[in-house]
């Protein structure tokens, strides 16, 4: 049903990178071994090094053989790992809470944080021009993290190389989210909640209502679900006002 | 790291259903065995019957022990199974296409169709009042289907009870979607595509522009991405007009 670890994937045919440097050489393998050791993976014999190499190759380094396909799989891997972990760890929590916490666990912000904690940026092959794009750093790291999960999952077609090291960091983060809701991204949480319960997205509207740049209540955001007004919030930026509105709405709905 | 198949889950404590009938008895097991046989699962010894029973218990039948937690896991299971299948089957397809096809494969519409093809509604325990809600039939079936996937996945903590029968039906549907784009739900496809590429949702606006009830161009829908106008479409209903607008936008963007 599955064939071997990577049969048929486009990512198997490995062209040289644009720079002409052959990736996947023995120096690269030594590098990747360091990362795998950092993750605490002991069963290194099952790691598909070719996939792991791809997972840490940014599209700017190779337009054909890069992390995009693995990221697509990894996105589903982290979602499943988070689902299992939440169910095992908080068996009594309402399903709506699971969905909200999961949406935060799999967000770019959190995944980039995880990637950073393992220093994954050091292992990511990319063109210098891409590296200069600081604004894109978060999504780059999150993408690479998902791709690494995809590579490890596809190495064995199971969670055996993933959950032993991912579970503890997911659990730590989930505990933080539950204990200190202020760490949450309430816009994501509200969106996940309304989709789970009503299959619609909340709608926001923002107005400038305050006294200019320094006013902590410069913007007011309003949030609706279909035609039903949910809540409002204020903030120094449009984003902060939306988060405040989402927080009020989320806390009200999830009661 | 994982414990046994369902340790710690709230779904393990099994109250009687509201009707007082003890679910999970030997008659129920015989019923569920029939379903498992229909799915073509031969390795029935690994099936966790208790979880499968829960997966086919609607919240109207038991407010405490029902399919909701398993549906949460199953949602991630089908997403991962579809990701792997698409990557293995169409190794050369652009990642944006994968995302669009996956969004259709995991949609309520398609999952309910799968559930129906196995006659899963016959096995779903629910209160008569809920069964009368015909409008909710699709999401009920899709939910139960996801929950069954969750139960089978958690039975072994692997895809071994899932992919052998799910892969062929996912592949058949994926082929249909690729061959006949008209079968697609373009609103879902467009949303998945814009989220994957720009992390934003498309926005729609609909106006009544036609000549009343029978006019096939009664409504005109306009679709935007941020402030960028993408496309428009016409239809007899608001929904049809939005689908037409989404189709035009999707075909334009995914070129």
């Amino acid at each position: 049903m599955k064939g071997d670890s990577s049969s048929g994937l486009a990512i198997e045919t490995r062209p040289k990178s644009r720079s002409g440097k052959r990736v996947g050489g023995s120096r690269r393998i030594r590098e990747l071994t360091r990362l795998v050791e950092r993750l605490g993976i002991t069963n290194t014999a099952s790691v598909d090094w070719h996939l792991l190499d791809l997972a840490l190759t940014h599209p700017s380094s190779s337009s054909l053989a890069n992390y995009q396909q693995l990221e697509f799989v990894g996105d589903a891997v982290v979602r499943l790992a988070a689902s299992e972990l939440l169910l095992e760890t908080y068996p009594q929590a309402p399903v709506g809470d699971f969905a909200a916490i999961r949406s935060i666990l799999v967000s770019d912000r959190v995944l980039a944080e995880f990637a950073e904690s393992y220093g994954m940026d050091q292992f990511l092959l990319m063109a210098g021009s891409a590296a200069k794009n600081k604004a894109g750093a978060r999504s780059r790291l999150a993408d690479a993290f998902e791709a690494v999960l995809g590579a490890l999952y596809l190495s064995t077609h199971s969670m055996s190389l993933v959950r032993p090291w991912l579970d503890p960091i997911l659990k730590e983060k989930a505990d933080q989210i539950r204990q200190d809701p202020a760490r949450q991204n309430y816009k994501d949480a509200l969106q996940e909640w309304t989709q789970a319960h009503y299959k619609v997205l909340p709608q926001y509207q923002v107005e400038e209502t305050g006294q200019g740049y320094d006013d902590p209540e410069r913007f007011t955001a309003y949030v609706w679900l279909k035609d039903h007004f949910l809540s409002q919030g204020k903030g120094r930026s449009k984003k902060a006002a939306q988060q405040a509105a989402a927080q009020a709405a989320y806390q009200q709905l999830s009661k």
Side-chain angles (χ1 to χ4, degrees), chain A residues 124-142:
Chain A
L124 185 59
L125 299 178
M126 64 180 146
S129 54
K132 276 181 210 135
N133 174 10
K134 297 292 174 206
R138 178 192 276 185
S139 72
R140 223 163 39 220
L141 271 174

Side-chain angles (χ1 to χ4, degrees), chain A residues 58 63 69 132 177 226 241:
Chain A
H58 188 263
S63 60
Q69 291 189 322
K132 276 181 210 135
I177 296 166
K226 291 180 184 173

Side-chain angles (χ1 to χ4, degrees), chain A residues 25 107 210:
Chain A
S107 68

Side-chain angles (χ1 to χ4, degrees), chain A residues 190 204 221-223 231-234 240-250:
Chain A
L190 180 64
Y204 293 87
Y222 307 87
V223 56
S231 200
Q232 65 178 68
K234 291 172 185 295
Q242 288 182 336
Q243 282 289 349
Q247 177 172 358
Y250 178 75

Side-chain angles (χ1 to χ4, degrees), chain A residues 22-23 33 45 48 66 101 124 137 141 161 171 174 178 202 213 246 248:
Chain A
R22 213 170 146 278
V23 282
T33 306
D48 185 324
N66 57 52
I101 296 174
L124 185 59
L141 271 174
L161 294 174
K171 184 171 179 324
R178 280 170 59 95
Y213 194 72

Side-chain angles (χ1 to χ4, degrees), chain A residues 15-125:
Chain A
K16 290 182 182 185
S17 74
R18 280 186 176 179
S19 64
K21 192 181 62 176
R22 213 170 146 278
V23 282
S26 64
R27 203 179 120 208
R28 177 68 164 158
I29 301 267
R30 278 199 301 278
E31 244 180 51
L32 296 173
T33 306
R34 270 218 318 282
L35 173 62
V36 162
E37 284 169 359
R38 264 190 215 173
L39 297 175
I41 293 174
T42 48
N43 179 19
T44 52
S46 336
V47 174
D48 185 324
W49 296 102
H50 166 61
L51 291 182
L52 191 61
D53 179 24
L54 273 182
L56 290 160
T57 303
H58 188 263
S60 65
S61 174
S62 169
S63 60
L64 286 172
N66 57 52
Y67 64 43
Q68 289 180 312
Q69 291 189 322
L70 291 168
E71 178 204 343
F72 175 74
V73 175
D75 154 82
V77 171
V78 66
R79 204 174 160 95
L80 180 53
S83 309
E84 279 191 80
L85 179 89
L86 289 173
L87 210 59
E88 289 167 8
T89 313
Y90 314 106
Q92 308 298 338
V95 172
D97 287 5
F98 283 149
I101 296 174
R102 185 174 70 181
S103 76
I104 297 162
L105 288 178
V106 306
S107 68
D108 271 9
R109 182 173 61 86
V110 167
L111 297 184
E113 221 177 86
F114 289 164
E116 225 165 357
S117 73
Y118 290 109
M120 276 192 196
D121 45 336
Q122 301 160 40
F123 302 94
L124 185 59
L125 299 178

Side-chain angles (χ1 to χ4, degrees), chain A residues 207-220 234-237:
Chain A
E207 277 178 11
E208 189 155 1
T209 49
Q211 308 299 317
Y213 194 72
D214 266 347
D215 185 349
E217 301 201 337
R218 181 173 172 199
F219 293 99
T220 304
K234 291 172 185 295
R236 198 181 300 269
S237 66

Side-chain angles (χ1 to χ4, degrees), chain A residues 137-152:
Chain A
R138 178 192 276 185
S139 72
R140 223 163 39 220
L141 271 174
D143 292 350
F145 189 80
E146 288 181 334
V148 165
L149 294 182
L152 293 174

